[in-house]
Amino acid sequence: MLRQSTIETIKTITPAVAANAETITRRFYELMFAGNPEVKQYFNEAHQHSGGQQKALAGAICAYFSQIDDLESLTPAVEIIAQKHCSLGIEPEHYPIVGKHLLSAIKEVMGDAATEPVLGAVAEAYGVLADVCINREKAIYSEQLSQPGGWNGYRPFVVAKKVPESRVVTSFYLKPGDDRPLPAFQPGQYVTVRMNGLKTSPRNYSLSDSPGKDYFRISVKREPGVGPDDPVGMVSNYLHDQVNEGDRLEVGPPCGEFTLRSPLEEKKAVVFLSGGIGVTPLIAMAKHLVREMPEAPVYFFQASRNSEAHAFSEEVAQLGRESKQFQSLVMFDKPLPGDLESGKCDGVGTLSEELLREWLPSADAQIYFCGPAPFMKSAYRMLGKIGVPRENLHFEFFGPRQEIESSIHG
Ligand code: FAD
């Protein structure tokens, strides 16, 4: 519990912290990586370089401070953070490191405004949030361990099959490298992949097939460099080019809270909106739904570049054959000659308000979406505009999530 005087102090300094939030978080990461280089392994350098991580942390701090007198409202945000931390193996001893450098950064950036009472209040607020996260993470770690086939940390897996899904997406079918079974997971969750041969942080990959198989499937898009001198995506290219059937990977247990809510008994429609590689968690969810609840109306939208980039076309078509309640819509924004005529897509373009108004079954559908940042932001905005309640919108983002969250809620 926070003391009332702490709550008041935090409220007073929130505007000043918000005005300097990104400067504070940039300085925070500099101080932390210099003072505790051992924690660098938990952070993706591409997100550091793009500024996404700093923006995300700034958004999270502002959200916490502005809701300091209503900690209950932070529960969903805490769950996302705790799941992410558990995917990376964050431990309680990491929290004081973050706390120390965050306070130093605030002190440095805010200068005279960072008086002793202010720093004391920030330290207390940080400590309370850290305790909430640590407790939730402890529970997640023990849930992971307690299920049949469950584990903490990393476990060796073998690439049983490597299958190209399109010119840019390749699936890896991963089987345990030991004799133990696979644990259950919820469609929409992700695993963490670590490659000992690479000097970089581990990466998350959504499980792209439905549960109940004797493998985990991940489907990876090859990330190009953006300019001639930019580095190409390190892990995705390594997986595409260097990792083959029979090779071993280190995999963390399934994590994540982007899972199907349970409107299913109500027979309300479930809508999936995917942009590019954001299709991976959604195809897993759709396959699960169609098989487990064939009477559920399922709508599946896929935006892709063209037929060469389009992944899972056959799996989506198969769902249409399995359930009369399944409808799909595929749009290409840069179709190849003949794509439209041969029926490889249903139209040219991408998600638009007009299309949503026409295609969405009803405003009370549960909507799950995932894709690149511009896709997410416009989907969120358009869905709000046409009257879908916020609580019916569920999304995953393949980057620092609070970055997208602060830009869509802000
Ligand atoms: P990175 O090396 O991380 O680079 C990413 C981009 O940044 C590249 O375009 C690169 O050019 C640029 N870059 C990198 N370093 C620098 C630098 N120093 N300077 C300038 N530019 C730089 N991905 C999938 O393909 N499939 C999935 O199912 C999937 N699921 C995910 C689920 C979750 C929950 C999350 C968080 C992410 C998911 N991702 C998924 C994304 C995945 O984790 C990786 O981020 C992605 O594969 C890119 O990693 P990379 O190492 O190839 O690229």
Side-chain angles (χ1 to χ4, degrees), residues 46 49 203-206 219-221 224 231 233-236 280 398:
H49 194 89
R203 301 287 193 268
N204 296 134
Y205 289 102
S206 299
S219 305
V220 179
K221 178 182 165 236
M234 199 190 280
V235 173
S236 60
T280 51
F398 290 175

Side-chain angles (χ1 to χ4, degrees), residues 44-110:
N44 181 330
E45 29 322 339
H47 298 160
Q48 284 291 321
H49 194 89
S50 71
Q53 196 107 56
Q54 294 86 336
K55 246 193 197 150
L57 180 60
I61 292 172
C62 294
Y64 179 40
F65 279 14
S66 59
Q67 292 168 72
I68 197 77
D69 48 4
D70 179 18
L71 294 186
E72 275 292 294
S73 67
L74 291 170
T75 308
V78 166
E79 186 60 21
I80 292 165
I81 293 169
Q83 292 283 346
K84 179 78 181 184
H85 281 178
C86 289
S87 82
L88 295 171
I90 300 295
E91 296 288 349
E93 60 264 28
H94 294 123
Y95 281 87
I97 297 174
V98 170
K100 180 176 107 185
H101 295 298
L102 190 57
L103 276 182
S104 302
I106 289 175
K107 195 170 171 185
E108 230 184 272
V109 173
M110 293 187 59

Side-chain angles (χ1 to χ4, degrees), residues 300-314:
F300 199 89
F301 172 87
Q302 211 177 348
S304 198
R305 190 113 297 188
N306 53 43
S307 55
E308 281 191 352
H310 185 201
F312 304 121
S313 54
E314 182 41 40

